[in-house]
Amino acid sequence: MLPRQGSTIAGPMDDLYMFIFWLSVVFFIIIAGQVVWFGMKYRRRGPGEKTPHITHHLNLELAWSIIPLLLCIVLFFWGFDGYMKATVVPGDAMEIQVRAKRWQWEFEYPDGIRALNDLYIPVNKKIRMVMISDDVLHSFWVPEFRVKMDVLPNRYTDVWFESTIPGTYNLTCTEYCGKGHSTMRGSIKVLTPVEYEDFVKEGPPELKNMPLRELGELVYKSRGCESCHSLDGSRRDGPSWKGIFGKTEKFTDGTSAVVDENYIRESLMNPHSKIVATYEAVMPVYKGLLRDREVLGVIEYIKSLK
Amino acid sequence: MADVKTTGAHVHGEAAHHASYLEENKGIMNWLVTYDHKRIGLMYLWSVLLMFLVGGLFALLVRLELLTPGEDLMNAETYNRVFTLHGAIMVFLFIIPAVPASLGNFVLPLMLGAKDVAFPKLNLASYYIYVVGAIMAILSIVLGGVDTGWTFYTPYSTSTAGAVTLMTLSVFVLGFSSIFTGLNFIATIHTLRAPGMSWYNLPLFVWGTYATSVIQVMATPVLGITTVLLVMERVFQVGIFDARLGGDPVLFQHFFWFYSHPAVYIMILPGMAIISELIPTFSKKTIFGYRGIAFSSIAIALVSFLVWAHHMFTSGQSPLTNAIFSFLTFLVAIPSGIKVFNWTATMYRGSISLKTPMLYAMSFLLLFTIGGLTGLFLGTLATDIHLHDTYFVVAHFHYVMMGGTVIAFIGGLFYWWPKMVGRMYSEKGGALSAILVFIGFNATFLPQFIMGSRGMPRRYFTYLDQFQPLHQFSTVGAEILGAGILVAILTLVASLRKKPDAIANPWGGSTLEWEAQSPPVTHNFVGTPVLEHAPYDYRHAKVEG
Ligand SMILES: [Cu+2]
Ligand SMILES: [Cu+2]
């Protein structure tokens, strides 16, 4: 009935689920059994049958008020306990920022690396998702982890889990958000510690095999370079990348240099050491935010922009 | 049957036939301006049945679209409109008015031994307000449609295109119709009971209707306020719910459920009220635990105001709030449980006649029990986290609303039909419909519990392949269910072509409405009925069918 147990809280929650399930089965059999059995046993055989005049029975009525009440109280405490364990975030959790917008999930790792819809996390590690929405309500649900929390536009909400088995898990949106609601999916890829280290260094496997130039283009589009650098020579907050490779760049301090591989790397890691003339020092520092291969990708990409 | 003395005319036996409310003052104009609660009840009945068919058609469209993942009949935008209309029409135009305004209107004064409701003109006004609201709702379908879901959650509802404002105003208008009916019934029950009819001699249908009316009068104004705020937000951008203007979208959910949870009981209490009539009549046995059933209705009405936030366990509200509302939710479950046990106990050692209304009543007991028990999964905090906003919830509330209220409504309709139109329907057709509905209903909604538990969210246009077999099973079930409903309606309609043949009390009922002729005269009783025995007292029953 329930999906695979992918997190530490799935087990206890399923125990409670199964407890309520069997409790319900017992009560259903008692009630439905009576209805069907009485319906057959006391079926009217002919007109004029007399029936006993039983108006009430205090003890019986007390019994079927109090016993369900006690069971309900048990369910309440059990459920509350499970809920607190599932929702109070342990202190040592790794934090991932989640930005939900119609109809995609954006993740940001502690080191500033961002990802769209696919999240890579290490197994057996507590993860806390800090979530906010860009537009309407959404809800973060990973059925196999048994966690769910609404994502609001005006307030951060959080959810935490510790996955126990490496593998791929579906993330779905469970708060109606319009046309793409049912396709607002993501996947959570739980990696072994070794795989995860690899991931941190080199990025997700599908990027590992991407040609450098394409990777550079992806960085340009997904890391905000696009908002300050044009490709067609037009001026934005930063110089256009069109044809800059090999060009000589003049700086505000009067010096100049040729744009080559080292210059580009330096511009990303330490942009404020040399400011291109007529521009201001607004370029963000990408040191630690871009993986090595991504820097190489940017260089290849800029080279290709003739 | 209750022993009734009437002055002026005899009641039992082959009474001389007096011109009934259907025969007097014929003509469409006389109907449209009638103050007769029976005629208003019938007009309501045809209207809500029409809405039921429209809402049901939308339901079938939803189920057909879900036959396969991806686009079959319609695109995602159309699908979103269709499920919104299914929900909004079924809730606001069908279930809420269905039992009180149609059957209740017809039966309540008769049960009290009254000539009419306390405010007949208000009664007619309530009907026309309903009609206006219904027209507005239909118009909003034509003028752009609504894709917010019946819950109108902000900020989606304040930002999406379409005729949301008109639909919201329609809900506002419909609220008044509901309030007027509630007010009218409260006044009627207080002031127009037959001589000798103390509160503890009221039929349980009246207790249930009373509890319903109290909620209608107390909760519906909150819906009115909420819809007005939503319209102001949409039209003037006031910023109550809009985060960018400093509002809080979750506040809307509090407002909405503050009405809509009690409204769940506006929908189910009348169903329970019907069942409390059907079971003693067809078991020919006094109701077990009269006071337990009566007071549990009142208890439900009161506690129902204190559980609304159980719809919001994952909305980001505090754990303390969640704990309080989870606890109160369990409390409100107890009175419903008491009722179910009392009903089954009533059947014990009865003389049970499996006529159509009783088949529906027994279906109700099974389905409502499933609806109630699956509520435990949702009231329990830890499991609700997993199940919230999934097909599990969809299945749960359909078991309560459709398996409960709608089944009871159809059962009640078969029960009082001879009284309303003076004709007996085909017992075979009735039984066939009951069986088809029971099978179709379970086939539709049982798989949805499994889907929800396994990871299928609600309001999904497309879905993962793994859910396809269950979705298809559910769609086939919905077709059987639709066929069952159709058989029920055809069975009733077919009876209209016969000559009137219903006697005053075809089922051996023990409440006052069965003392009136079938169909009753315009002023209900010939002479004034006086009640001498409590209802459901079969020691005084004469030999009957
Ligand atoms: Cu969504
Ligand atoms: Cu509720």
Side-chain angles (χ1 to χ4, degrees), chain B residues 339-518:
Chain B
K339 282 179 192 267
V340 170
F341 285 117
N342 282 345
W343 289 323
T344 43
T346 303
M347 290 173 70
Y348 171 69
R349 293 180 64 193
S351 164
I352 297 171
S353 148
L354 296 181
K355 291 270 166 53
T356 306
M358 187 61 176
L359 290 179
Y360 276 101
M362 288 164 75
S363 294
F364 173 98
L365 286 178
L366 305 193
L367 301 178
F368 180 72
T369 300
I370 296 179
L373 290 171
T374 50
L376 296 177
F377 293 80
L378 301 171
T380 305
L381 279 172
T383 39
D384 181 69
I385 298 297
H386 179 61
L387 299 170
H388 178 69
D389 265 340
T390 68
Y391 264 70
F392 191 96
V393 175
V394 175
H396 159 71
F397 70 72
H398 278 91
Y399 264 88
V400 180
M401 299 284 88
M402 168 118 209
T405 308
V406 180
I407 297 278
F409 170 69
I410 303 175
L413 194 55
F414 276 107
Y415 180 55
W416 284 301
W417 188 254
K419 182 62 58 190
M420 299 170 100
V421 304
R423 291 159 174 90
M424 304 303 289
Y425 48 82
S426 148
E427 213 28 79
K428 279 205 186 94
L432 177 68
S433 79
I435 291 164
L436 282 178
V437 167
F438 184 78
I439 294 173
F441 181 85
N442 284 302
T444 310
F445 293 106
L446 269 183
Q448 298 189 2
F449 284 122
I450 305 172
M451 274 194 265
S453 301
R454 287 203 188 146
M456 175 74 208
R458 66 191 286 202
R459 296 176 168 174
Y460 259 32
F461 165 69
T462 182
Y463 50 83
L464 300 176
D465 291 339
Q466 68 179 100
F467 296 114
Q468 191 171 359
L470 288 170
H471 267 303
Q472 289 183 336
F473 198 91
S474 181
T475 299
V476 173
E479 270 139 32
I480 301 175
L481 176 57
I485 303 274
L486 215 63
V487 172
I489 291 177
L490 290 179
T491 304
L492 291 175
V493 170
S495 75
L496 293 177
R497 296 174 48 209
K498 296 197 305 182
K499 275 208 159 52
D501 59 350
I503 55 170
N505 191 356
W507 317 120
S510 65
T511 39
L512 276 187
E513 78 271 27
W514 302 110
E515 303 301 328
Q517 111 187 352
S518 296

Side-chain angles (χ1 to χ4, degrees), chain A residues 39-173:
Chain A
M40 289 181 336
K41 178 151 192 234
Y42 302 117
R43 187 156 176 195
R44 191 174 300 173
R45 314 270 167 217
E49 273 181 356
K50 286 272 174 244
T51 57
H53 188 71
I54 311 170
T55 56
H56 63 282
H57 189 295
L58 187 63
N59 289 340
L60 209 55
E61 287 179 81
L62 282 178
W64 64 50
S65 312
I66 291 170
I67 294 172
L69 182 65
L70 293 179
L71 287 168
C72 278
I73 290 177
V74 170
L75 286 187
F76 165 74
F77 279 108
W78 190 345
F80 183 58
D81 181 59
Y83 167 78
M84 292 308 274
K85 289 194 177 121
T87 53
V88 175
V89 187
D92 54 344
M94 163 178 158
E95 261 181 34
I96 291 175
Q97 307 290 322
V98 181
R99 183 169 283 273
K101 60 169 124 180
R102 281 187 260 188
W103 288 279
Q104 62 191 39
W105 301 95
E106 270 179 29
F107 304 106
E108 191 177 329
Y109 292 89
D111 58 3
I113 304 276
R114 297 211 191 100
L116 196 65
N117 294 333
D118 293 333
L119 179 69
Y120 294 82
I121 54 164
V123 73
N124 294 330
K125 180 143 177 71
K126 299 184 178 71
I127 314 276
R128 171 179 184 228
M129 315 291 277
V130 183
M131 309 187 290
I132 190 106
S133 162
D134 255 9
D135 37 52
V136 296
L137 304 178
H138 301 279
S139 189
F140 179 99
W141 186 31
V142 185
E144 286 156 321
F145 293 172
R146 316 281 190 275
V147 293
K148 181 181 293 127
M149 181 50 100
D150 288 5
V151 186
L152 314 176
N154 59 327
R155 195 145 51 83
Y156 289 98
T157 52
D158 62 8
V159 75
W160 82 273
F161 48 81
E162 178 179 342
S163 55
T164 49
I165 311 166
T168 303
Y169 300 86
N170 288 319
L171 158 66
T172 53
C173 177

Side-chain angles (χ1 to χ4, degrees), chain B residues 25 27 35 95 104 130 176 188-189 192 207 241 254 320 330 361 370 442 457 502:
Chain B
N25 298 322
Y35 297 145
I95 300 195
Y130 170 82
F176 282 93
T188 308
I189 295 167
L192 296 183
W207 274 101
F241 308 124
H254 282 288
L320 179 65
F330 280 117
I370 296 179
N442 284 302

Side-chain angles (χ1 to χ4, degrees), chain B residues 6-24:
Chain B
T6 50
T7 50
H10 44 219
V11 169
H12 303 307
E14 298 74 40
H17 184 78
H18 299 269
S20 76
Y21 78 105
L22 294 173
E23 291 157 333
E24 250 183 313

Side-chain angles (χ1 to χ4, degrees), chain A residues 174-293:
Chain A
T174 39
E175 185 63 68
Y176 174 67
C177 57
K179 190 170 95 185
H181 172 51
S182 59
T183 46
M184 186 167 162
R185 292 181 196 137
S187 66
I188 297 193
K189 308 209 164 129
V190 177
L191 307 176
T192 61
V194 178
E195 286 171 333
Y196 187 70
E197 243 168 70
D198 241 33
F199 163 78
V200 171
K201 270 196 239 123
E202 310 193 27
E206 62 264 28
L207 295 189
K208 220 163 25 187
N209 304 320
M210 200 181 243
L212 281 177
R213 205 201 77 92
E214 262 176 54
L215 183 64
E217 187 174 0
L218 190 74
V219 170
Y220 174 74
K221 289 199 173 125
S222 64
R223 293 299 176 75
C225 320
E226 196 171 10
S227 62
C228 297
H229 298 284
S230 78
L231 301 179
D232 56 4
S234 65
R235 188 185 165 104
R236 289 183 193 163
D237 283 352
S240 175
W241 286 356
K242 189 179 177 189
I244 55 167
F245 196 80
K247 205 176 97 183
T248 307
E249 202 72 272
K250 288 198 180 63
F251 302 116
T252 44
D253 58 3
T255 60
S256 61
V258 174
V259 178
D260 58 7
E261 285 88 348
N262 282 326
Y263 173 78
I264 293 178
R265 181 178 290 272
E266 177 72 10
S267 298
L268 290 173
M269 298 303 146
N270 194 7
H272 302 166
S273 66
K274 289 174 182 151
I275 311 290
V276 181
T278 75
Y279 289 93
E280 280 166 48
V282 293
M283 160 98 185
V285 179
Y286 282 93
K287 187 169 184 164
L289 302 190
L290 288 178
R291 297 186 181 89
D292 204 46
R293 203 158 174 276

